[in-house]
């Protein structure tokens, strides 16, 4: 049985890798891809942390889970990939980020190390995080532009802690005699905002991007108008430079963990599977939008790099669209869990779902990838983009592609299913408001949240 390591970052878009952008240095991702393979069209199943991650863990779409926002918790009796892997005989470990809410911080993993960076309970995060110092609230989209530059942020301090914990865990566990096969998930928070990276990397990319004029003419769909933020070109370049710096830092972590893991595996003569991917993307000011929460490519298309010790696909770039549910299937099949009930059907197209708020009204947003076409439905309106000829998603060609639209409709939710999801979302939001009031009143101990040492935070300089 193969040892399996999955590295899952937060908010890393495919567009911001060295595969797509020559201005960005990701030598380790390129090296791992050369020794393994890269999937050029991997998609999350929801453009938001918790819905995406819980969908991956449970093997169900957000609509099947009833999870569309970051305050919703996975039911304690919902089987996850960790339960399946444990049943198959694996030792299962989670180090770092997964964004669980509530008391159950394992959801089937044998051990949970390094905690998480986000608040464990409701009403205890955001600007109330005293340990974030001047960075309080800047991990939220609405406040992400308040600080940008070169410095040292809570995100950077947290990822350093995750990295140290992961290295120690691997060094101590891989050399154990007679150990069971390992399924290890390592979660980094980078390159999630705030837009602050190491000063040298920030200055390096600010110089490379100083003449950039990216994205200036793109317009957001009307349903996303409330996500648009006012940001001048200078500030956008500063944010982009810091994000690139965070990506390069993450690339270094991935490379070091890959070398450590593969080195021990080869020394012990064991078979292995190494995977790097992310939970969703980052739009980085394109169309005036920062963060995720849309169905645009930069929000939903993520890197997927795979290195299999038995693989015969070294250096291959795979064009077939896949999703994080397919990544889950890959892991389960490697472990011999092919009959697992919640496994996604690999014959079905990629489906992406979200609930967004538009002028006070909740709307269901869905996308189906029938490459080269992306078919979107928001509310009752359908939009089609040809991703080959129109990669920036500017030209709606739905009127010219009625057969494609008809084909996609079988994968969209029915009206009754949409209504059920929207009604459930309304009730959940009401419950979460009460939980937030409790959290603010009681200030419960965040025993599963990693506290950021204040001395680790350095206010950025432009």
């Amino acid at each position: 049985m193969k040892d399996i390591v999955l590295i899952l970052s937060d908010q890393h878009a495919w567009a911001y890798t060295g595969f797509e952008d020559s201005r960005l240095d990701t030598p380790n991702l390129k090296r791992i891809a050369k020794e393994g393979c890269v999937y050029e069209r991997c998609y999350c199943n929801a453009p938001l942390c918790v819905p995406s991650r819980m969908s991956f863990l449970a093997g169900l779409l957000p609509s099947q889970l009833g999870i569309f926002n970051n305050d919703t918790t996975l039911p304690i009796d919902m089987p996850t990939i960790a339960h399946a892997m444990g049943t198959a005989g694996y030792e299962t470990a989670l180090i770092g980020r997964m964004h669980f809410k509530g008391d159950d911080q394992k959801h089937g993993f044998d051990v949970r190390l390094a905690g998480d960076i986000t608040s464990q309970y409701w009403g205890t995060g955001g600007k109330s995080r005293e340990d974030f110092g001047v960075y309080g609230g800047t991990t939220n989209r609405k406040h992400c532009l308040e600080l940008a530059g070169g410095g040292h942020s809570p995100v950077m301090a947290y990822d350093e802690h995750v990295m140290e914990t992961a290295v120690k865990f691997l060094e101590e566990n891989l050399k154990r005699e007679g150990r069971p096969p390992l399924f290890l998930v390592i979660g980094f928070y980078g390159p999630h905002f705030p837009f602050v990276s190491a000063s040298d990397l920030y200055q390096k990319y600010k110089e490379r991007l100083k003449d950039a004029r990216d994205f200036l003419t793109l317009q957001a769909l009307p349903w996303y108008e409330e996500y648009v933020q006012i940001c001048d070109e200078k500030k956008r370049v500063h944010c982009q430079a810091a994000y690139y710096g965070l990506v390069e830092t993450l690339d270094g972590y991935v490379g070091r963990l890959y070398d450590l893991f593969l080195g021990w595996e080869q020394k012990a003569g064991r078979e292995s599977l190494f995977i790097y991917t992310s939970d969703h993307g980052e739009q980085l000011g394109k169309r005036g939008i920062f963060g995720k929460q849309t169905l645009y490519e930069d929000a939903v298309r993520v890197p997927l790099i795979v290195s299999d010790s038995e693989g015969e696909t070294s250096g291959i770039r795979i064009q077939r669209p896949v999703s994080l549910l397919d990544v889950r299937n890959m892991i389960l099949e490697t472990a011999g869990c092919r009959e697992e009930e919640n496994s996604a059907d690999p014959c079905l197209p990629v489906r992406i779902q979200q609930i967004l708020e538009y002028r006070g009204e909740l709307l269901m947003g869905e996308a189906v990838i029938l490459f080269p076409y992306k078919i979107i439905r928001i509310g009752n309106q359908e939009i089609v983009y040809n991703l080959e000829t129109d990669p920036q998603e500017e030209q709606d060609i739905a009127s010219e592609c009625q057969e494609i639209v008809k084909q996609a409709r079988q994968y969209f939710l029915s009206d009754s299913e949409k209504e059920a999801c929207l009604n459930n979302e309304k009730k959940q939001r009401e419950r979460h408001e009460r939980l937030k009031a409790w959290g603010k009143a009681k200030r419960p101990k965040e025993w599963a949240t990693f506290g950021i040492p204040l001395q680790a935070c350095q206010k950025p300089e432009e």
Side-chain angles (χ1 to χ4, degrees), residues 282-299:
E282 161 66 61
Q283 290 155 113
L284 206 55
K286 189 178 288 189
R287 301 178 183 84
I289 302 174
F290 291 84
K292 50 276 187 181
Q293 292 178 272
T294 78
L295 296 172
Y296 286 118
E297 289 287 278
D298 285 350

Side-chain angles (χ1 to χ4, degrees), residues 3-7 90-96 106 109-114 160-176 179-187 256-257 260-261 264-265:
D3 291 324
I4 303 171
V5 169
L6 167 66
I7 297 180
Y90 275 75
E91 176 183 4
T92 61
L94 169 61
I95 298 176
K106 288 186 176 180
F109 286 95
D110 296 328
V111 295
R112 172 79 192 274
L113 304 174
E160 289 164 1
H161 173 64
V162 171
M163 183 65 186
E164 292 170 4
T165 305
V167 168
K168 182 179 179 181
F169 178 89
L170 286 170
E171 289 177 340
E172 292 178 351
N173 283 272
L174 292 181
K175 60 186 177 183
R176 282 167 34 215
R179 64 173 177 81
L182 173 67
F183 174 52
L184 171 62
V185 179
I186 303 170
R256 183 181 173 195
L257 290 168
L260 176 60
F261 176 56
W264 277 108
E265 295 295 282

